[in-house]
Amino acid sequence: FPLLRRACEIYYRNFVVLFLSTLATAVLSALSCGILAGPLLGGLILICLKLAQEKETDLKEIFHHFDRFFPTFAIILLTGAAWYLLNIISAIPLIGRVVALLTVPALSLLSILALGFIMEKGLNPLEALQRSVGAFLSNPLQIWVYSLVITLLASLGAFIFLFPVVLTAPIGILGAALIYRELSEKTPVSLNWGKKESRLGL
């Protein structure tokens, strides 16, 4: 995946700002029990997008978007509910593991895509989710494989125990931000959701 190579190059060139931004986002999100995760993570995504365009940015970017608190919090809340459900399902022998493998990477990427659409395009949560799903379905197999790879890379630190996961997490965020940029410029698959389908989706 060329995007992964580019993500690694961006991380190498901007290690300090990405490491500190990711660390601050993780710590403050944990201390606030996830309440501040939405705007902080949204700011981190914008940092990644700016660095990809070789624009100047710094750690303070993650604190500049609390005007998007409610829509980003809605995405975090919905994602958290989905994670809780997946944790329950994953307890089922064998089937749960398979379901988790198929859904966790996609869910992680969809949440980043939705936050990107809220932060950059100003969409509301439902519009952002619909746009994210439509973008994902434009090439579902390839995008799912990509989401699996960046999820594994992002969590690499947790597996090999040689360095903290916060050192590998920026690669996952960068990878998700780069695929967001690519997908946001394409016409997504139209879902044609009505009110009934929207309520069912939520």
Side-chain angles (χ1 to χ4, degrees), residues 77-112:
L77 193 63
L78 290 171
T79 304
W83 277 107
Y84 179 75
L85 179 61
L86 286 176
N87 283 333
I88 296 175
I89 295 174
S90 64
I92 303 174
L94 186 59
I95 296 176
R97 297 291 183 180
V98 173
V99 171
L101 177 63
L102 293 174
T103 56
V104 167
L107 176 61
S108 301
L109 182 58
L110 285 173
S111 63
I112 297 296

Side-chain angles (χ1 to χ4, degrees), residues 170-186:
I171 298 177
I173 300 295
L174 269 168
L178 291 177
I179 193 66
Y180 159 78
R181 167 60 65 233
E182 188 173 287
L183 294 175
S184 67
E185 296 173 353
K186 296 180 179 180

Side-chain angles (χ1 to χ4, degrees), residues 10 13-22 40 42-65 174:
I10 294 172
R13 294 197 307 266
N14 304 276
F15 173 79
V16 174
V17 64
L18 284 168
F19 171 72
L20 292 179
S21 300
T22 304
L40 291 172
L44 180 57
I45 293 169
L46 292 182
I47 287 176
C48 294
L49 292 174
K50 287 185 176 182
L51 292 176
Q53 296 174 311
E54 299 185 353
K55 295 181 179 179
E56 291 188 5
T57 186
D58 55 33
L59 171 64
K60 293 182 289 185
E61 181 76 42
I62 66 173
F63 302 108
H64 291 171
H65 305 284
L174 269 168

